[in-house]
Every structure is written in C-alpha cells, then in structure tokens.
Amino acid sequence: MNINRPRGTNDILPSESYKWQQVEAKVRDICYRYGYQEIRTPIFEHTELFERGIGETTDIVEKEMYTFVDRGDRSITLRPEGTAPVVRAFIENNLYAGQLPAKLYYMGPMFRYEKPQAGRYRQFTQFGVEAIGSMDPVLDVEMITLPIELYKACGLAGFEVHINSLGCPKCRSEYRNQLQAMLAAKADQFCESCQSRINRNPLRVLDCKSPKCRELLKDIPSIQDYLCPECREHFDQVTTSLDQLGINYVVDPHLVRGFDYYTKTVFGILVPTLGAQNAIGGGGRYDGLVEEIGGKSMPAVGFAVGMERLLLALAQENIAFNEPKAAGYVAHFGGKTKQAAVKLVHDLRQAGLWVEMDYLDRSLKAQMKSADKLQSQWVIMIGEDELAQNLVKIRWMNTGNEEQVALDQVAEYLASKREG
Ligand code: HAM
C-alpha cells in the first residue's frame, strides 16, 4: 500500500517552489521597507493560548484545532494562526521594554482541521504582521497598505479591500444584545449553524454564506450605526487616510471575521474570481488580546495573508515568474575527461555560477538534451584530444556558435562574456 500525504496538505515541488521563493523575497523586501522584523515562534503551543486568545466559541477552537496530549500529559495544539503566539512571545520575552510599537512579521505553516477544497487546506502557510503597542489609526492603515503593496509587487490586479469596525467591548456589547434579540425572534428560519450561533456568538451569523440567511439579514441594523464616538472617530480616521492614499475599499458592515479578539477596525482582502475560498488576506485591531493572554493592557493591530491562495490568484491571472535556469553545462566523455569536468564544475560553482554535469555516464547527445532542459546558456565539451592540449570547446546555445578556450581560462572567459 502506498503511503500518501494526509488530506488537506500539499507537497510544494521544485516546479512550484521557485515561485514561492520569489513571493517570499517580495515579502521580506516589503517588511524591510516598512520596518517589520521577523519573529519565529514554535509550531505548537499550549492549547490554552488559543482557547483564551481566539475565543472558546469560535469555529477554530470548537472544531478545527489539531490538539493532542503529549507524553508529559500536556494539552498541545498545532498553531491554527500566528497572532496569539506572537502576542505570547511578546509578553514572555518582555518586548514591552523595547521600542513600541513592536513591529513583527512571520511566515510559516498553520494548521486547521477544515474540510479541504481548492484554496482551503489543513496545513497552509501564512505571512503575517503584528504591530503591538499603539492605538494610532495610522497603523491600521499601514496594515491594509502593506499586503496591498505585496499583491501589487507580485503583479496581482483583481482584488478588493473590505473594511468594517467591530467597535470596542462597550459599543459592541450593545449591538450584540440588540442583534441577538432580533435574530432570536426569527431563529427557526436560519440555517442550523446560525441557530447555534445566535446564542453563543451572534455576530458570526452576519457572515453566514447561505443565501437564505443572507436574505434574512437584509434589514438587520448595521454595527456601523452603533459605534461609540471614540470608535466612530477611529474608523473615520482610517477611511480618511485610505482615501488620501488613493486606496479603494468597500465598507462592509457584515464583515466580522472568525476570532473573538478583534476590536475596532477589521478588514478582508478578496479576489472575487477565486471561488468559495476567495479571501487572500485579512486582519484587524485587537486591543484586548495582550491583556487577555496575561500581559499589560496594550493595543495592537495586524493581518495575515494566505500564501497558497495568493499563489492561486497569481496563477489565475497568469502572472509570470522567473524560471530558474542553469548558467551552463559541462559535458564529458568519461575517464580523464570526467575528472577534468568535476574540477571545472567545482571551480565555476565557486565562482558563483549554477553549473551542471552528467552523473549517469550518458552519451553526448543525452547530455546536450539535459543542458537544453536546464535552459543552459552554454555547454562546455571536454574531449580527450583537446584535453591533451589543455583546451575545451564551448557552445553558445542561443546562436550555436562554438569557440575553443584554454581549460584554465574558462572562468575568465565566461566572466568577460558576462561583462560584455
Ligand atoms: P484568517 O483570516 O483566519 O486570519 O487567516 C488569514 C488568511 O489565511 C486568510 O485570508 C486566508 O488567505 C488564509 N487561510 C486561512 N485559513 C486557510 C486554510 N484553511 N487554507 C488556506 N488558507 C487559509 C488570521 O489568521 C489572523 N491571525 C490574522 C491577523 C493577524 N489578525 C490580526 N493579526
């Protein structure tokens, strides 16, 4: 019986991994320009971190976590997201003492036991950013512009930014109570999962995808109308600044997101043509989380981008990547010529070039084919007679031109060609 990868996981093969590397390089470049530094936290954490951080009545905590008891009888969970772990690390390593806001980013695997489908996996990769220690709406705006910059740098065009405010515990609880009462009045008409949410987490009903529930939600009042003066002012400053920067967005009062930690600004970035899993990024402010996890009261804001979905969106828009190409190939005929090839390949690699050779004792024809596949610019052929005179032949693959070069001058010759 073959052993296959677990459902909802992916192998990223060399035919794809170079694309990932190019997107990752853009991520690091943008984070550098925005002043975010990398943080790497463990892939697993104590389960309690997510129960407290994300919220016990969220889908993630109720049904999607990979939780197990380890050999020391501790409940451990593979991280379903990066925000709670980063906040835990911020508190544990006393990063309050450093410059505030702490500006951190991460990239790595997350795990959720979801029903796998295109764009939805059980192991997926997030690039996330967290800024801890400032209330300034300017930072909310930075969290929206940074991923947009990444999408644009990758060449993506067809995305939309949706924003909303979830208010603060004060104004949200008033809205929550009103909403709950209204939903309860027609509870039996909602889908099963909404019915169970009405009591436990009524805001989550707002983003149900079922057409019937959407219809029922049509005349539900908007959370935007319940914001207290402080939350209203904060949201207005965010939208004013987005306008000033020329960033298009839609205010979507049904955008609530799947975590209990959000306060004030939330946002989601979608590619409408991507199908059911069309969110390529999302985030928001979480002013209560640091305290909730045991730290000092401290505001914060962040976002995460789903890297698989971003790559799917780029493929859908036929965005081109730079395919890796070998600089050259050294062909040999076995025996002494192979020894000379090994030495030459070694020297050229030390000079910084990607140089390939044959490891299967194949014919010259087969070696030329490999060179072609690798899109080599040149092939050096080491023949026995020429080697006796310390010479090799080099063929330029685009023109078919051939030249003879002294074996010990190949590196200089190639360098002069690169400069020329
Ligand atoms: P999230 O919206 O759950 O937010 O995830 C962010 C992104 O990760 C989504 O927009 C999506 O692109 C991707 N994603 C989520 N689940 C899956 C999945 N099962 N398969 C593939 N991609 C997926 C968060 O995780 C928050 N921690 C974001 C944040 C940071 N908020 C504040 N700071």
Side-chain angles (χ1 to χ4, degrees), residues 60 80-83 106 112 114 119-122 124-126 129-130 257 259 261-262 269 279-284 286 301-309:
I60 293 184
E81 60 106 48
T83 309
Y106 51 90
R112 295 183 194 171
E114 292 194 84
R120 186 159 76 189
Y121 311 106
R122 290 182 173 168
F124 58 98
T125 314
Q126 278 187 349
V129 165
E130 316 292 347
R257 302 197 33 82
F259 304 87
Y261 52 59
Y262 287 121
I269 305 178
I280 55 168
Y286 49 94
V301 59
F303 73 85
V305 166
M307 297 291 275
E308 285 81 0
R309 288 190 198 169

Side-chain angles (χ1 to χ4, degrees), residues 100-358:
L100 293 179
K103 296 174 74 178
L104 305 164
Y105 85 90
Y106 51 90
M107 222 176 338
M110 307 291 161
F111 305 85
R112 295 183 194 171
Y113 192 82
E114 292 194 84
K115 206 164 168 203
Q117 60 184 84
R120 186 159 76 189
Y121 311 106
R122 290 182 173 168
Q123 175 174 332
F124 58 98
T125 314
Q126 278 187 349
F127 151 53
V129 165
E130 316 292 347
I132 308 172
S134 165
M135 277 294 271
D136 198 329
V138 163
L139 264 188
D140 307 33
V141 172
E142 197 164 293
M143 291 302 148
I144 300 172
T145 54
L146 200 158
I148 291 179
E149 186 109 339
L150 172 66
Y151 302 141
K152 284 190 179 158
C154 292
L156 190 71
F159 59 86
E160 283 176 12
V161 179
H162 289 215
I163 64 171
N164 191 20
S165 173
L166 294 179
C168 58
K170 268 183 295 159
C171 53
R172 187 178 31 218
S173 75
E174 197 188 323
Y175 177 69
R176 188 185 183 278
N177 293 342
Q178 297 266 350
L179 178 69
Q180 196 165 42
M182 284 185 189
L183 297 175
K186 38 184 174 179
D188 53 342
Q189 299 174 55
F190 281 94
C191 73
E192 226 173 276
S193 71
C194 282
Q195 288 191 15
S196 81
R197 280 171 175 158
I198 290 174
N199 283 328
R200 293 174 307 122
N201 203 343
L203 262 78
R204 291 290 296 165
V205 174
L206 292 178
D207 72 352
C208 180
K209 302 280 179 287
S210 129
K212 192 167 163 238
C213 298
R214 288 196 159 227
E215 187 61 32
L216 289 166
L217 291 169
K218 257 188 169 166
D219 8 280
I220 291 291
S222 160
I223 191 162
Q224 289 276 330
D225 299 330
Y226 282 74
L227 298 179
C228 64
E230 186 200 321
C231 290
R232 178 83 261 154
E233 167 73 14
H234 189 97
F235 191 69
D236 289 346
Q237 285 189 32
V238 171
T239 53
T240 305
S241 183
L242 288 173
D243 292 339
Q244 195 190 20
L245 297 176
I247 291 168
N248 293 326
Y249 58 87
V250 181
V251 176
D252 177 357
H254 283 192
L255 180 71
V256 290
R257 302 197 33 82
F259 304 87
D260 283 354
Y261 52 59
Y262 287 121
T263 52
K264 294 195 169 72
T265 318
V266 285
F267 62 92
I269 305 178
L270 341 164
V271 173
T273 52
L274 212 52
Q277 305 307 314
N278 62 8
I280 55 168
R285 196 160 257 294
Y286 49 94
D287 293 338
L289 184 62
V290 182
E291 195 174 9
E292 182 67 40
I293 295 179
K296 295 179 195 163
S297 168
M298 191 157 275
V301 59
F303 73 85
V305 166
M307 297 291 275
E308 285 81 0
R309 288 190 198 169
L310 172 55
L311 275 125
L312 282 173
L314 295 174
Q316 191 177 267
E317 289 193 11
N318 293 317
I319 305 290
F321 288 86
N322 297 323
E323 248 183 276
K325 291 178 190 163
Y329 194 96
V330 177
H332 62 82
F333 299 88
K336 279 194 178 145
T337 67
K338 183 171 181 183
Q339 283 169 15
V342 170
K343 173 81 171 80
L344 181 58
V345 165
H346 180 73
D347 290 349
L348 293 176
R349 285 175 179 167
Q350 287 204 317
L353 299 180
W354 172 9
V355 183
E356 274 298 348
M357 66 175 284
D358 173 60

